[in-house]
Amino acid sequence: MQRTRPPLQSWDIFCRVIDNYGDAGVCWRLARQLVRAHGKSVRLWIDQPTTLRALCPMLAADADRQQQEGVTVCHWPAQFPATTAADVVIEAFACDLPPPYLQAMAARSTPPCWLNLEYLSAEPWIADCHGLASPHPSLPLTKYFFFPGFTARSGGLLRENTAAATAANSTGQPPSLNLFCYANAPVAALLNALGNTSWQINVSPGQPRQALGSHFGGDGPWQHSHHHINALPFLAPDAYDALLRQGTVNIVRGEDSFVRAQLAGRPFLWHIYPQADNAHLDKLNAFLDLYTADLTAELAHIVRAIFLAWNTPVTAAHLAACWHDFHAALPALAAHARCWQAHCQQLPELSAALVDFCQRLPSGHPGLTA
Ligand code: TRH
């Protein structure tokens, strides 16, 4: 009879900030969720605590170790300190564990469950790679690949108990457009495409604000035609989720805000993180294949056209034509966004899927696939 592990209580998450907020955002949400929903004891090792402070304003950027919302946040220094390894070790986005910590893992009488948490992708190949084992070349350790995703054959999505979407415009307010994009987004063309409708545009700080600033000058707020453009501060994660639930249209980027927009159940555009050789366009099209599968051919075309226009060099006239069709379809797309939200709610919840995966992993025996 197969024996499973006793409850795995201690978790270490390792996060190296490559750029922006996504790496820290995913790891922080996961750490909080493991504490809140599963009662785990979690250390989050992060090499740039200052980035995490945007998401967790109470964080002291210069402390080696501190408690925040039940998570022990530890600075991951260049010289890694001596420590015991946890029952479960999450290496976020192949960030390469510090060698002394690998030795501590190997020194345990029972090897820890070691997972590489991969980037989110809608590409079909992840189903065959999710849960695969990779033995360490020299140490008695095995790493497993864990893929978030949009199907039941993935690790699913990180999902707190998100409140139902709030109907936009219920108080007679103008439609709102929340803008969180990279600096190269065609914002001028978009603003000119908005037409006669008056929009309340809320611009997040950093690259989105720069994109507007290079067009209008200054720091905002701005008035463009009959659109009021408001410069937002960086919001705490729960406040950002609330903003997305109110948006008529949300423009999001990267990985984590892209997920939050889908869970908010509102129409959205995705500014995907650009990769070499346009590899990101495969990811974008794979997502659109899933996201538009239940739409009519006409609506599916409208959605794909505006997502591609937002992410590829096109003329302002082409973007305007795509926005015009997208805008006209918004009532139908708002209904679709709620259906997609319901689909997302039925997927595995990532933290629960991780806990389950590790518990089912027989002690010391590699090779289980999810
Ligand atoms: O900031 P991003 O571009 O982050 C990442 C990184 O660039 C990473 O290297 C890359 O691999 C990845 O994208 C794909 O976009 P993302 O993923 O949306 O992360 C933003 C986080 O910030 C997300 O957790 C939402 C959060 N956020 C707030 O909490 N408040 C805010 O006001 C805003 C604008 C965002």
Side-chain angles (χ1 to χ4, degrees):
M1 199 176 87
Q2 196 180 63
R3 286 198 309 147
T4 53
R5 294 168 184 259
L8 300 163
Q9 194 53 27
S10 62
W11 291 57
D12 273 337
I13 301 173
F14 284 84
C15 174
R16 208 184 279 286
V17 175
I18 304 298
D19 57 8
N20 306 329
Y21 302 104
D23 315 282
V26 170
C27 292
W28 173 239
R29 287 183 191 277
L30 173 61
R32 284 199 319 183
Q33 186 71 354
L34 286 167
V35 171
R36 285 181 186 172
H38 306 285
K40 301 300 181 189
S41 168
V42 181
R43 288 189 296 195
L44 171 57
W45 296 90
I46 182 161
D47 66 337
Q48 291 181 34
T50 42
T51 300
L52 183 57
R53 199 158 53 163
L55 297 139
C56 176
M58 300 304 287
L59 195 85
D62 54 356
D64 284 344
R65 178 175 294 239
Q66 60 192 297
Q67 287 295 121
Q68 293 292 342
E69 301 191 37
V71 177
T72 306
V73 179
C74 304
H75 179 217
W76 173 359
Q79 296 293 319
F80 201 77
T83 187
T84 51
D87 298 334
V88 180
V89 179
I90 309 275
E91 181 181 338
F93 311 124
C95 65
D96 277 342
L97 296 180
Y101 189 85
L102 274 174
Q103 294 298 337
M105 288 164 67
R108 282 178 52 117
S109 54
T110 309
C113 296
W114 176 18
L115 298 117
N116 185 43
L117 178 61
E118 295 284 347
Y119 287 110
L120 172 67
S121 175
E123 291 166 295
W125 60 263
I126 69 156
D128 295 327
C129 298
H130 177 56
L132 286 188
S134 167
H136 190 277
S138 55
L139 295 171
L141 296 169
T142 301
K143 174 159 73 173
Y144 295 86
F145 296 99
F146 201 90
F147 283 82
F150 299 98
T151 71
R153 291 189 62 202
S154 72
L157 300 175
L158 197 52
R159 203 174 57 225
E160 294 96 330
N161 283 331
T162 37
T166 314
N169 311 330
S170 52
T171 54
Q173 298 294 315
S176 62
L177 178 68
N178 298 316
L179 182 66
F180 183 50
C181 59
Y182 296 112
N184 65 342
V187 288
L190 179 70
L191 289 174
N192 289 329
L194 292 178
N196 290 327
T197 311
S198 293
W199 286 83
Q200 165 72 39
I201 303 169
N202 300 311
V203 184
S204 292
Q207 296 191 47
R209 186 96 49 85
Q210 280 162 27
L212 265 286
S214 60
H215 184 58
F216 290 115
D219 254 356
W222 300 278
Q223 188 73 31
H224 175 75
S225 178
H226 31 265
H227 313 301
H228 182 68
I229 308 173
N230 179 33
L232 290 180
F234 196 91
L235 300 171
D238 297 345
Y240 184 62
D241 285 347
L243 177 84
L244 294 179
R245 287 197 294 271
Q246 296 286 345
T248 310
V249 174
N250 295 310
I251 299 186
V252 287
R253 75 184 197 192
E255 172 161 333
D256 200 32
S257 59
F258 166 59
V259 172
R260 310 314 298 173
Q262 293 168 66
L263 296 175
R266 308 294 309 155
F268 73 100
L269 298 183
W270 181 25
H271 203 199
I272 191 169
Y273 187 83
Q275 289 177 284
D277 301 326
N278 281 336
H280 58 287
L281 294 183
D282 290 341
K283 281 177 99 170
L284 178 61
N285 278 308
F287 173 73
L288 288 168
D289 289 346
L290 293 182
Y291 187 66
T292 63
D294 289 338
L295 289 173
T296 64
E298 187 192 11
L299 283 173
H301 174 77
I302 287 170
V303 170
R304 194 177 292 269
I306 186 70
F307 273 63
L308 288 173
W310 186 243
N311 282 284
T312 49
V314 295
T315 63
H318 179 74
L319 184 81
C322 293
W323 176 267
H324 175 271
D325 293 346
F326 177 71
H327 184 241
L330 274 181
L333 294 178
H336 177 62
R338 288 192 292 277
C339 291
W340 184 256
Q341 177 194 40
H343 165 76
C344 292
Q345 297 285 6
Q346 282 164 17
L347 292 173
E349 195 285 316
L350 187 93
S351 69
L354 278 168
V355 170
D356 182 59
F357 182 89
C358 294
Q359 278 315 141
R360 290 192 303 116
L361 209 55
S363 214
H365 292 282
L368 180 81
T369 52

